[in-house]
Structures are given as C-alpha cells and as structure tokens.
Amino acid sequence: MDPKSATGSLHVTHDEVLSFAEATGDASPLHVDASYARCTPFGEPVAHGLLCLLKVLAEAPPLTGRTLAALRARFVGPVLPGQSYVWEVETAAPEGEDGAIGLSIRVVDGRRTLIEGEADFVRGELRAAPPKAARPKAATESAVTPFEELAVGAVHGGAYRPDWQALRSLGAELCLPDHGVGVEHLAVLGWSSHLAGMEAPGRAAMISGYEMTCDDAAGRKGFTGRAEITDVDERFRTVRLAGEVLVGRLEAHVRLRTVVRREAVPRPPAN
C-alpha cells in the first residue's frame, strides 16, 4: 500500500511556548525572554523544537491503539511563535507482527525545510504517570557554560524530575494520547529539552538533532535520567550527548546534537 499523505498549517503561539517551558522546565531565555532573544540572530523568541514536533504529531491523523516507539528529527531552521508554517506527514502502511507504522514529518517555510523527522509507532497501550512520583525538580536558571569548559565524559540530567500534572495537561491540550504519545513519552522529551536548554550546553544551545528509542522496562519505576557528553566539536561548535531515561515501565535511549551559539557581548551604556 502506498503511503498516505496529509498536510496542514503549523502555528505555534507564545502561550504554547510558555506552557511547554512550564511543563518541561526548559525555560531557556531563547524561548521565553524577548529581551534576550532580541540579541540573538533570530531577533525574537524561538519555539522549542520538540514542541513543534509534538504539534505536528497532534495534527496528523490519529493512531488508535498505538504507542510511540522511536522518534528521529533534524532541526534545520527556527520556528517563530506567531508565524504560520506548513507541515507535511506521510504515513506508511503497517508492517511486521507488531503492526509498526512509520510517519515521515516535514515542516517547511516556503521552499525551506525547517524540521524533518520520522516517528515509529507499534501496537500498545499508553500508561499513566508512575504512582507516588517525586516532586518536580528542574533548574531555575539556564546554565551559562563557556564552550571550552564543555568536556567529553561530563554527566548531566540526573537531578531532573518531571512535573507530571503539567505534562498531563500539556498532553491533553494537544490531544497527544489520541496520537500515540503518552505522559511517559512527554517526560522523556521534557527531560531532553531541559537537558539541552538548561544544563548542557545551556543558554546558548539549540537542539539540531534528536533520536529517541523506547522499550518496555521490567517492573514499575519512578523517574531517573542520566546523560553524558560524547563529543565536543570546536570547528562547528556542536555538542553531542547520549543518555538513558527510566520512567514508569518505559526505558528510553536518547541522543542529542546541539549547536552552541556565540552569544553577543552586551554593549556598555552610552555616556
């Protein structure tokens, strides 16, 4: 069977960016502080890349009885809140014993591709948040780490704890459970966004590549996450991280590629 195609308009609002920042803890000033963002090459706040992916998945055709198994994406250009873009999704026919369904995703601005990715779904049921979950814990300020101090082998992400109530609300607002994305998935995505934007590399970072694979984990767990810097490229100012998250009955393996901007030096006030 040939893939089925769908397309539509992607419009991310400022309120959605703030809601995502609150739910995930990724309150990097690049996303939420207009004064800071004005001093960047973008001139205004930029929507979180993972929020944009979730918005596209939420607007694609529903996937009943499926659960997200893998997500891969490349972020080429920024999505600015308040502007309209076009999303395109191709859905492949189910394959294999688990009835896997693959989605190919693109977000474009005219002829320019901003985001491209793939999502795989298998038969399965979404699960609720772990019982007796720990209190939410996230960084209160985005890290400002000189690029030269980002070292291979450094470990990050271990202190983060999701805000389950906020994640459930985010999922409900976007109708994500109807599209195979549950609160466990949102916890992993939130941890990933917080890791890059608030911890390592921190304030000057933008996610340029993302991979997440999900498997069932034995037993019932709360939430633990750990990531390690695996590569620092001074030529292109990129940092790669690899991590693992255990949440509820889900085990996720994550790989992140980030680009670290050179931040503008504030000009001294005129006399």
Side-chain angles (χ1 to χ4, degrees):
M1 179 184 292
D2 294 332
K4 297 181 179 179
S5 299
T7 187
S9 177
L10 173 66
H11 183 86
V12 181
T13 69
H14 292 280
D15 286 344
E16 287 174 329
V17 170
L18 294 177
S19 294
F20 186 84
E22 181 179 357
T24 64
D26 182 5
S28 168
L30 179 63
H31 305 303
V32 303
D33 187 333
S35 297
Y36 173 85
R38 198 174 298 121
C39 298
T40 71
F42 313 112
E44 58 185 292
V46 174
H48 304 77
L50 295 179
L51 168 61
C52 298
L53 272 182
L54 290 173
K55 287 272 293 182
V56 175
L57 291 176
E59 296 182 23
L63 293 169
T64 305
R66 308 281 173 171
T67 180
L68 180 64
L71 185 63
R72 300 169 294 278
R74 191 167 69 97
F75 302 95
V76 183
V79 170
L80 304 178
Q83 298 192 19
S84 293
Y85 305 90
V86 173
W87 60 263
E88 303 168 354
V89 170
E90 282 196 355
T91 305
E95 295 182 356
E97 295 181 358
D98 58 2
I101 293 177
L103 269 60
S104 296
I105 300 165
R106 289 181 72 222
V107 174
V108 298
D109 182 13
R111 296 183 178 181
R112 184 187 179 198
T113 297
L114 302 180
I115 301 172
E116 55 186 2
E118 298 173 331
D120 299 331
F121 296 82
V122 296
R123 289 193 183 99
E125 299 297 326
L126 301 179
R127 294 180 288 260
K132 300 180 180 180
R135 291 183 179 181
K137 186 176 182 181
T140 56
E141 293 186 5
S142 187
V144 184
T145 306
F147 186 84
E148 297 75 16
E149 295 181 11
L150 295 167
V152 172
V155 175
H156 301 273
Y160 180 85
R161 296 294 180 269
D163 186 333
W164 294 108
Q165 182 175 348
L167 291 175
R168 280 194 296 266
S169 297
L170 176 68
E173 289 172 7
L174 296 178
C175 300
L176 289 170
D178 295 334
H179 299 268
V181 181
V183 70
E184 291 179 335
H185 299 114
L186 291 177
V188 178
L189 293 168
W191 172 85
S192 303
S193 193
H194 178 275
L195 173 68
M198 301 296 287
E199 295 189 55
R203 188 175 72 179
M206 288 188 68
I207 297 176
S208 59
Y210 186 76
E211 296 181 16
M212 176 181 74
T213 57
C214 303
D215 296 299
D216 288 333
R220 183 75 166 165
K221 300 175 176 62
F223 182 96
T224 58
R226 179 185 183 278
E228 182 176 315
I229 295 179
T230 59
D231 182 72
V232 177
D233 190 323
E234 296 181 0
R235 296 172 301 165
F236 301 106
R237 292 184 65 84
T238 58
V239 176
R240 295 176 184 264
L241 301 100
E244 180 179 274
V245 178
L246 296 173
V247 48
R249 293 194 178 99
L250 183 74
E251 178 179 351
H253 297 272
V254 173
R255 292 184 179 275
L256 282 163
R257 183 178 66 251
T258 65
V259 175
V260 183
R261 294 174 291 103
R262 296 183 187 274
E263 295 189 286
V265 178
R267 294 180 180 178
N271 294 329

